[in-house]
PDB file of all heavy atoms in Angstrom:
ATOM      1  N   GLY E 162     109.213 252.759  95.556  1.00  0.00           N
ATOM      2  CA  GLY E 162     108.092 253.099  94.689  1.00  0.00           C
ATOM      3  C   GLY E 162     107.942 252.165  93.506  1.00  0.00           C
ATOM      4  O   GLY E 162     108.492 252.386  92.432  1.00  0.00           O
ATOM      5  N   PHE E 163     107.221 251.074  93.723  1.00  0.00           N
ATOM      6  CA  PHE E 163     107.018 250.158  92.616  1.00  0.00           C
ATOM      7  C   PHE E 163     106.009 250.718  91.631  1.00  0.00           C
ATOM      8  O   PHE E 163     105.085 251.429  92.011  1.00  0.00           O
ATOM      9  CB  PHE E 163     106.532 248.799  93.125  1.00  0.00           C
ATOM     10  CG  PHE E 163     107.657 247.932  93.541  1.00  0.00           C
ATOM     11  CD1 PHE E 163     108.076 247.912  94.863  1.00  0.00           C
ATOM     12  CD2 PHE E 163     108.325 247.164  92.604  1.00  0.00           C
ATOM     13  CE1 PHE E 163     109.125 247.129  95.236  1.00  0.00           C
ATOM     14  CE2 PHE E 163     109.380 246.371  92.990  1.00  0.00           C
ATOM     15  CZ  PHE E 163     109.784 246.352  94.309  1.00  0.00           C
ATOM     16  N   ALA E 164     106.215 250.377  90.379  1.00  0.00           N
ATOM     17  CA  ALA E 164     105.345 250.914  89.343  1.00  0.00           C
ATOM     18  C   ALA E 164     103.910 250.428  89.554  1.00  0.00           C
ATOM     19  O   ALA E 164     102.971 251.220  89.546  1.00  0.00           O
ATOM     20  CB  ALA E 164     105.843 250.483  87.964  1.00  0.00           C
ATOM     21  N   SER E 165     103.761 249.145  89.730  1.00  0.00           N
ATOM     22  CA  SER E 165     102.394 248.651  89.881  1.00  0.00           C
ATOM     23  C   SER E 165     102.224 248.056  91.273  1.00  0.00           C
ATOM     24  O   SER E 165     103.138 247.419  91.790  1.00  0.00           O
ATOM     25  CB  SER E 165     102.102 247.587  88.823  1.00  0.00           C
ATOM     26  OG  SER E 165     102.526 246.328  89.298  1.00  0.00           O
ATOM     27  N   PRO E 166     101.080 248.272  91.862  1.00  0.00           N
ATOM     28  CA  PRO E 166     100.852 247.696  93.190  1.00  0.00           C
ATOM     29  C   PRO E 166     100.871 246.180  93.168  1.00  0.00           C
ATOM     30  O   PRO E 166     101.260 245.552  94.155  1.00  0.00           O
ATOM     31  CB  PRO E 166      99.460 248.226  93.568  1.00  0.00           C
ATOM     32  CG  PRO E 166      98.852 248.744  92.322  1.00  0.00           C
ATOM     33  CD  PRO E 166      99.969 249.086  91.397  1.00  0.00           C
ATOM     34  N   VAL E 167     100.504 245.602  92.020  1.00  0.00           N
ATOM     35  CA  VAL E 167     100.489 244.135  91.952  1.00  0.00           C
ATOM     36  C   VAL E 167     101.880 243.583  92.206  1.00  0.00           C
ATOM     37  O   VAL E 167     102.094 242.658  92.989  1.00  0.00           O
ATOM     38  CB  VAL E 167      99.971 243.667  90.578  1.00  0.00           C
ATOM     39  CG1 VAL E 167     100.028 242.150  90.483  1.00  0.00           C
ATOM     40  CG2 VAL E 167      98.552 244.158  90.364  1.00  0.00           C
ATOM     41  N   LEU E 168     102.881 244.220  91.558  1.00  0.00           N
ATOM     42  CA  LEU E 168     104.260 243.784  91.723  1.00  0.00           C
ATOM     43  C   LEU E 168     104.665 243.888  93.193  1.00  0.00           C
ATOM     44  O   LEU E 168     105.255 242.957  93.763  1.00  0.00           O
ATOM     45  CB  LEU E 168     105.173 244.642  90.847  1.00  0.00           C
ATOM     46  CG  LEU E 168     106.619 244.170  90.792  1.00  0.00           C
ATOM     47  CD1 LEU E 168     106.687 242.781  90.171  1.00  0.00           C
ATOM     48  CD2 LEU E 168     107.461 245.156  89.991  1.00  0.00           C
ATOM     49  N   ALA E 169     104.320 245.021  93.804  1.00  0.00           N
ATOM     50  CA  ALA E 169     104.678 245.225  95.208  1.00  0.00           C
ATOM     51  C   ALA E 169     104.067 244.129  96.064  1.00  0.00           C
ATOM     52  O   ALA E 169     104.729 243.543  96.930  1.00  0.00           O
ATOM     53  CB  ALA E 169     104.194 246.593  95.677  1.00  0.00           C
ATOM     54  N   ILE E 170     102.813 243.822  95.792  1.00  0.00           N
ATOM     55  CA  ILE E 170     102.149 242.804  96.606  1.00  0.00           C
ATOM     56  C   ILE E 170     102.811 241.453  96.421  1.00  0.00           C
ATOM     57  O   ILE E 170     103.017 240.707  97.387  1.00  0.00           O
ATOM     58  CB  ILE E 170     100.647 242.727  96.254  1.00  0.00           C
ATOM     59  CG1 ILE E 170      99.966 243.992  96.742  1.00  0.00           C
ATOM     60  CG2 ILE E 170     100.000 241.511  96.872  1.00  0.00           C
ATOM     61  CD1 ILE E 170      98.517 244.080  96.386  1.00  0.00           C
ATOM     62  N   VAL E 171     103.202 241.148  95.177  1.00  0.00           N
ATOM     63  CA  VAL E 171     103.849 239.862  94.939  1.00  0.00           C
ATOM     64  C   VAL E 171     105.154 239.787  95.717  1.00  0.00           C
ATOM     65  O   VAL E 171     105.448 238.775  96.376  1.00  0.00           O
ATOM     66  CB  VAL E 171     104.085 239.655  93.432  1.00  0.00           C
ATOM     67  CG1 VAL E 171     104.974 238.445  93.202  1.00  0.00           C
ATOM     68  CG2 VAL E 171     102.763 239.471  92.721  1.00  0.00           C
ATOM     69  N   VAL E 172     105.936 240.872  95.682  1.00  0.00           N
ATOM     70  CA  VAL E 172     107.203 240.873  96.416  1.00  0.00           C
ATOM     71  C   VAL E 172     106.939 240.670  97.905  1.00  0.00           C
ATOM     72  O   VAL E 172     107.552 239.811  98.559  1.00  0.00           O
ATOM     73  CB  VAL E 172     107.961 242.199  96.181  1.00  0.00           C
ATOM     74  CG1 VAL E 172     109.197 242.247  97.066  1.00  0.00           C
ATOM     75  CG2 VAL E 172     108.349 242.325  94.727  1.00  0.00           C
ATOM     76  N   VAL E 173     105.996 241.437  98.444  1.00  0.00           N
ATOM     77  CA  VAL E 173     105.696 241.322  99.872  1.00  0.00           C
ATOM     78  C   VAL E 173     105.223 239.918 100.203  1.00  0.00           C
ATOM     79  O   VAL E 173     105.616 239.334 101.213  1.00  0.00           O
ATOM     80  CB  VAL E 173     104.623 242.359 100.273  1.00  0.00           C
ATOM     81  CG1 VAL E 173     104.173 242.116 101.703  1.00  0.00           C
ATOM     82  CG2 VAL E 173     105.173 243.756 100.125  1.00  0.00           C
TER      83      VAL E 173
END
Side-chain angles (χ1 to χ4, degrees):
Chain E
F163 275 93
S165 86
V167 177
L168 187 63
I170 290 176
V171 170
V172 174
V173 172

